[in-house]
Every structure is written in C-alpha cells, then in structure tokens.
C-alpha cells in the first residue's frame, strides 16, 4: 500500500459503504467525519473514557443529523496500537486518517510505522519529520526544496537579533513554551525564569529550537496533493488565534504598561483556534511554487512523497523588492483548521467550497473507484 510494505491488506471492494473512515477523537476529527459522511463513508472515532461526549453525544449520527456513526472507547489514545483494538478496526474495514493528536498521544513513531497495521491515508513515514528533534526533519525537507525558513541559532551566545525560542513544556510535552529574546543575556534570564517556575526543564532547554523571529503576516497555506489526479491544490488559508498574547495585544499600549506594573506577564502562544484568512492574488503563484517544491522534495526524501493534506505555516514579509513567503513550520498531515472551507480557493477550483476533511474523503473515494487505493495508503 502506498508502495510501502505493510502487513495487513485492506479489502478491494469498490463501494464506499464497505469502508469506515477512522480517526482519533481530537484535533480535526469532526472535519474528517463530516467530509467522510458527505462522500458516503461510515465513520468511527476513537475516544478516551471521560472525554467522549463531543463525539458520542453532541455530534453523534442521528438520522440526518451528526457525523459520528460510531465511537470506540480506549483508556488512553495510545492504546489504539494494541492488537485487540486494531482487530476491531480491521473488522470494520477501516481507513485511518492521522492528525497531530494521533502523533502526540501515541508518542512513538516506530510503533506508528511498524506496529499500526491499519491503512493510513497519507505517507506515515513523513509524520516524524514534523519533529525538529528527529534527524532528518522538516528543516531538511525545506533545505532540499530550497524553501526559505527562519535562521537557526545553535548557541544562545550567537543571538544578535530578536529570536523565538521553542522548548517543550515540563508537564505537557506536546505543548511548547515559547519565549522571545534579543540577546544572550535575555535568553538566559527568560530561560532561568521558566525553569524556576517549573514550566520547562534544563534538559528540554538544551534541546530547544532558537529561530529568528520573522516580522510579517502569518498565514497557513493548507495544501492537498492528489495522487489520483497528480495535482496540487490549495484548499484554504488560515491563521492562528493564540492565548494569551491576543488578549495583551488588544489592550492599548498604556494599559499594557500598567498591567505589567501590577504583575509580570510573560506572553504565551498557546493555540486556541484558527481564523480563515485570504491572501493577495499576487501571492498565490509564489505559494503554489513552494507547495510544488515541497511535494518534489518529499518524493526524493521519503518515497512515495506527500500524499493528500499538508500545511506550510508561513510569514509573508514586505519588500523591497517584493513580498516573500518564509516557512516557519511544516505539518505533513491533516491540518487542524476546519474553518478553511470559508476561504475561496477550493471554490475557485471546484465551483463550491470544500473542507479538507471532504477533500480527503473525495480522494479516497476516487482511489477506490479507480482501483488506486493502495497508492494512497501506507
């Protein structure tokens, strides 16, 4: 499947109703389920006991309402790797769509690649490239593709401009504690504060990523590469809403100063949601160019390359001589922004807007119809 060797072979029935789209109950599960239902698939969401109501109650399928046909309970999300749960998914002829929460909660890329036998829509070998601590990682893909990304600093002593430091939190390893610094001294004082407050550890700090902070407009370009049609599509664009930096920025400057006098505030950049945005039409060609370069680079580095959805999180910087797109993060899987259907780009192509969840289901459906399912799953 997907030209990679896996142990379990899915059915070759050419009827979407014979298949179930499965997903971990988090991140973009509802987007995936809604899209799957619209294309005639059954849906199954894996849920943890105690955090199941979104899928088992509020959006459960009832006649014409809802999009979650069935839930599968596990004690912990990582249990989905266990043979007894995989047996259930196999019995339902499941095709699994991964997202960031799947990677984070399983927290074992070797297990995902070698032990998880359910066909994954996409190239599961690419998932680990999202982690900057892996070697190779997303930086290597960007370098191979000749896509610009922020300057990296290996040693805090070399800091000579505003940088953003990305370090894993002590308690929530899946979350990163961000802080800004403009000098080695500020890096030291900020990191010491976070260690003292128990937010990060010295060990995690030693593995932190230090990047130049790029000034500009942040835009996530959410692409889809179709194996069936051999076509790159821009499904939509968005930007993040983050706490508590947004609240601080909404205060007038004088009120910010007063607030800082009352108590020290260290802005966080923890994601709380997304907003659909648009870009100038003059930026679409450069955006597609970096998308195409990314696809070609992955084909060379991680065969068979990217399959389906991926996102390039970028900053658009001003000229002169002209605006430029600089990529600061890569998501080689389903993006977590269901609101991108509200942008016009998929509508320009299809005549009506579609979500990334539906675009994924459309690809799976087309692959089944054209006997190409093994080319889009790994």
């Amino acid at each position: 499947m997907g030209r990679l060797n896996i142990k379990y072979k899915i059915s070759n029935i050419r009827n979407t109703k014979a298949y179930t789209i499965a997903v971990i109950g988090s991140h973009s599960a509802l987007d995936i389920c809604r899209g799957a239902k619209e294309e005639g698939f059954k849906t199954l969401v894996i849920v943890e006991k105690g955090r199941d109501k979104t899928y088992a109650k509020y959006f459960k399928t009832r006649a014409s309402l809802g999009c979650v046909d069935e839930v599968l309970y596990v004690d912990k999300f990582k249990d989905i790797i266990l043979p007894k749960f995989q047996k259930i998914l196999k019995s339902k002829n499941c095709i699994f769509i991964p997202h960031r929460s799947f990677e984070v909660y399983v927290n074992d890329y070797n297990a995902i690649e070698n032990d998880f036998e359910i066909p994954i829509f996409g190239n599961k070998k690419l998932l680990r490239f999202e982690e900057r601590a892996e070697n190779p990682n997303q930086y290597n893909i960007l370098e191979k593709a000749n896509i610009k990304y922020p300057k990296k600093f290996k040693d805090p002593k070399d800091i000579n401009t505003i940088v953003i430091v990305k370090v894993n939190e002590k308690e929530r390893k899946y979350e990163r504690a961000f802080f800004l610094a403009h000098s080695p001294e500020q890096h030291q004082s900020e990191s010491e504060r976070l260690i003292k407050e128990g937010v990060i550890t010295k060990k995690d700090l030693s593995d932190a990523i230090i990047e130049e902070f790029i000034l500009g407009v942040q835009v996530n370009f959410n692409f889809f590469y179709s194996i069936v049609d051999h076509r790159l599509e821009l499904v939509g664009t968005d930007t993040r809403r983050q706490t508590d930096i947004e609240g601080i920025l909404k205060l007038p400057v004088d009120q910010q100063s007063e607030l800082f006098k009352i108590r020290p505030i260290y802005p966080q950049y923890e994601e709380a949601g997304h907003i659909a945005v648009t870009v100038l039409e003059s930026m679409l060609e450069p955006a597609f160019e970096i998308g195409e370069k990314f696809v070609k680079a992955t084909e060379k580095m991680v065969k068979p390359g990217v399959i389906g959805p991926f996102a390039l999180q970028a900053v658009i910087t001003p000229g002169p001589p002209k605006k430029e797109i600089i990529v600061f993060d890569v998501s080689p899987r389903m993006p977590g922004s269901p609101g991108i259907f509200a942008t016009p780009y998929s509508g320009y192509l299809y005549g009506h807007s579609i979500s990334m969840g539906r675009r994924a289901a459309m690809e799976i459906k087309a692959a089944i119809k054209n006997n190409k399912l093994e080319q889009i799953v790994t």
Side-chain angles (χ1 to χ4, degrees), residues 27-28 97-101 103 121-123 126-127 130 222-223 240 306-311 313 329-337 356:
H27 195 267
S28 49
I97 299 184
H99 50 50
R100 181 58 177 163
S101 294
E103 302 170 18
F121 173 57
N123 185 350
L126 259 177
L127 297 178
E130 187 163 0
N222 300 284
F223 290 104
R240 293 176 172 180
V306 67
I307 299 170
F310 68 97
Q313 298 169 33
D329 206 359
V330 172
S331 301
R333 37 73 188 169
M334 186 79 183
S337 181
M356 188 66 84

Side-chain angles (χ1 to χ4, degrees), residues 63 67-68 73 142 317 325 339:
C67 58
V68 180
Y73 282 90
L142 295 174
T317 61
I325 298 173

Side-chain angles (χ1 to χ4, degrees), residues 195 200-207:
I195 291 171
I200 64 174
T201 66
K202 286 185 178 180
K203 181 181 183 304
D204 287 329
L205 181 65
S206 66
D207 296 326

Side-chain angles (χ1 to χ4, degrees), residues 185-197:
E185 293 76 21
Q186 189 176 30
H187 176 278
Q188 182 176 348
S189 63
E190 286 293 289
S191 58
E192 287 177 350
R193 174 186 64 80
L194 290 170
I195 291 171
K196 184 178 180 180
E197 293 177 359

